[in-house]
Amino acid sequence: MTPCFDAIVIGAGAAGLFCAGVAGQRGLRVLLIDHSPKVAEKIRISGGGRANFTNRDLDPRQPHKHYLGENPHFCRSALSRYTPTDFTDLLQRHGVPFHEKHKGQLFCDRSAQDLIDVLLRECDAGGVTRWQPCGVHGVAFSDADPAIRYTLQTDRGAVSGHSLVVATGGLSIPKIGATDFGFRLARQFGLKVVEPRPALVPLTFDPQAWAPFADLSGLALPVRIETGEKKQRQAFDENLLFTHRGLSGPGVLQISSYWQPGTPLRIDLHPGAALEPLLQDAKARSRKLLPNELAHLLPSRLADTWTAPRTDWQRPVNETPDKALAQLADSLHRWMLTPTGTEGYAKAEVTAGGVDTKQVSSQTMASTQPGLHFIGEVVDVTGWLGGYNFQWAWASGFACAQALAQAPA
């Protein structure tokens, strides 16, 4: 006979593991399926191997501050019902030590494996059945028998279930198994998918235009970076990292989620204080070359590269005209440049876009297709860098599991 479950969860990442464990502990017979031989690879590699698993600064009453999508308020309900404190309480019950690193970002003290082990123990506590590795080749729906609305054809044969939860993530980092399965399944059942795109991703520039900066690869410094105009304007105060092909680092990853192709970035390379008075002060007391004085205010490699194009920026600072000093300061405070693209899904930490929230309940994560739920990254909800996407995984998974347990059989 075809095995039958109350709920089948496809995708053993953060959202899928958590949802399966919670649902199982609420008395449901749950099957968790994933095509990869390892669970939660995205957790394993995140945060430098220590998993930035949530953020204390998250305000569920104002999700638009840290989340984007066609309806950034969609995630308010789930985030308010399962908060960062709820998740840290879970880790404390399991004895997992963690710490705050920067701007509310929480990391495991030892390893991301601690977090994965917690999720697996939660699944074990709920009696969750796991098929892994196991590919899903087809999904069929029938309303003839409510107990077996969905039948899946898998590597281990057919399996049926009352409810189906899609937690397959997005297209980011295909080398660890990312696919478009969730988007294809949504479309199969007539659901709209907001066009996916790489987010939290390094930006690239025309090779010829970038040539003067390519040798700065590996250099990092704090900046203020912004894009957009008026109501669409978005800015971050974070570190920037030069690469051979363009820019990366937390500030660039953050702004990449808001950047639109063909639009410029505005970067202040010395956001802490106005440069012109500092350069004027140096002019009054120093005979050093201007690049050497600038190196007291910025990384020396950047100071040398920035001043190289102009002869009046190569003089001793005390011989440099005031106008040239003003122009140098302005150029560093108002660096305007337009990316030609991104490093794509191979380097993107998340996928923006996804299953349209207009067709998903913010309370239950159920879609307009009966018994079909979507949670985590596959939904059109994208968080900032810093633990916000994992918190969405926990919150959406929890909301879905609660709904599954309360649904009539």
Side-chain angles (χ1 to χ4, degrees):
M1 292 181 61
T2 301
C4 185
F5 292 83
D6 297 317
I8 301 172
V9 181
I10 307 177
L17 279 167
F18 190 61
C19 179
V22 174
Q25 290 180 48
R26 278 160 172 70
L28 298 184
R29 292 166 297 136
V30 180
L31 172 64
L32 179 62
I33 302 178
D34 198 290
H35 68 120
S36 173
K38 292 182 179 179
V39 299
E41 277 297 277
K42 208 163 189 180
I43 295 178
R44 194 186 311 277
I45 66 173
S46 71
R50 292 190 176 183
N52 177 197
F53 56 82
T54 192
N55 195 299
R56 279 188 169 137
D57 292 346
L58 190 154
D59 182 355
R61 297 165 300 178
Q62 302 185 76
H64 62 283
K65 284 188 172 183
H66 298 116
Y67 292 88
L68 62 148
E70 290 203 347
N71 178 14
H73 294 280
F74 170 83
C75 52
R76 179 187 289 120
S77 175
L79 291 170
S80 63
R81 286 183 288 139
Y82 195 85
T83 67
T85 299
D86 291 319
F87 194 75
T88 55
D89 287 348
L90 173 67
L91 295 189
Q92 288 170 336
R93 289 199 299 273
H94 284 268
V96 174
F98 57 87
H99 61 279
E100 182 175 337
K101 186 174 180 181
H102 174 66
K103 294 186 176 182
Q105 301 169 11
L106 300 185
F107 291 77
C108 297
D109 281 0
R110 296 184 296 241
S111 164
Q113 187 60 46
D114 284 350
L115 177 53
I116 297 170
D117 290 343
V118 166
L119 296 173
L120 290 174
R121 287 198 294 270
E122 289 289 301
C123 283
D124 290 343
V128 174
T129 300
R130 288 197 289 127
W131 288 2
Q132 196 172 14
C134 180
V136 176
H137 307 296
V139 177
F141 170 79
S142 171
D143 55 7
D145 181 352
I148 51 171
R149 290 187 291 192
Y150 289 93
T151 299
L152 281 60
Q153 301 301 323
T154 80
D155 290 344
R156 303 192 187 189
V159 61
S160 298
H162 172 68
S163 298
L164 181 62
V165 180
V166 182
T168 51
L171 300 169
S172 306
I173 322 180
K175 69 180 181 181
I176 61 171
T179 74
D180 66 346
F181 179 90
F183 303 145
R184 285 188 280 116
L185 191 62
R187 293 186 181 108
Q188 175 186 331
F189 290 103
L191 302 176
K192 178 187 172 186
V193 175
V194 176
E195 188 63 30
R197 59 187 174 84
L200 299 182
V201 62
L203 299 172
T204 58
F205 298 84
D206 173 74
Q208 186 173 355
W210 191 249
F213 304 104
D215 288 342
L216 295 177
S217 179
L219 185 150
L221 74 162
V223 304
R224 181 171 182 80
I225 183 169
E226 61 180 56
T227 192
E229 301 291 345
K230 298 180 180 178
K231 289 185 178 181
Q232 278 68 50
R233 178 180 168 277
Q234 187 68 45
F236 292 95
D237 294 298
E238 287 281 5
N239 274 13
L240 172 148
L241 174 69
F242 285 85
T243 72
H244 287 297
R245 288 163 43 86
L247 295 171
S248 188
V252 173
L253 298 186
Q254 294 280 42
I255 210 73
S256 72
S257 297
Y258 295 89
W259 173 73
Q260 297 295 322
T263 61
L265 303 176
R266 299 177 294 277
I267 302 176
D268 184 347
L269 292 165
H270 194 268
L275 278 170
E276 187 175 359
L278 299 174
L279 293 173
Q280 287 290 351
D281 178 69
K283 180 176 179 176
R285 60 174 169 73
S286 173
R287 296 181 179 180
K288 291 181 180 178
L289 291 174
L290 176 55
N292 294 340
E293 279 296 337
L294 187 60
H296 293 302
L297 304 170
L298 295 167
S300 58
R301 289 165 60 200
L302 177 58
D304 289 341
T305 297
W306 202 267
T307 55
R310 286 181 50 167
T311 55
D312 58 352
W313 289 351
Q314 297 294 316
R315 301 177 181 181
V317 64
N318 63 317
E319 298 176 10
T320 304
D322 290 348
K323 183 178 180 181
L325 291 179
Q327 289 171 338
L328 173 60
D330 186 69
S331 70
L332 288 161
H333 284 306
R334 305 173 194 277
W335 189 20
M336 296 273 291
L337 65 171
T338 301
T340 54
T342 77
E343 291 284 4
Y345 290 115
K347 296 287 183 69
E349 297 202 7
V350 295
T351 301
V355 178
D356 193 339
T357 56
K358 292 186 183 73
Q359 298 169 305
V360 178
S361 165
S362 63
Q363 300 282 322
T364 66
M365 307 310 296
S367 71
T368 51
Q369 165 67 24
L372 181 61
H373 299 69
F374 293 88
I375 60 175
E377 189 181 350
V378 73
V379 182
D380 180 29
V381 173
T382 303
W384 283 13
L385 188 73
Y388 294 99
N389 287 293
F390 276 134
Q391 185 58 38
W392 169 242
W394 318 136
S396 61
F398 183 81
C400 181
Q402 278 193 316
L404 292 172
Q406 294 166 0

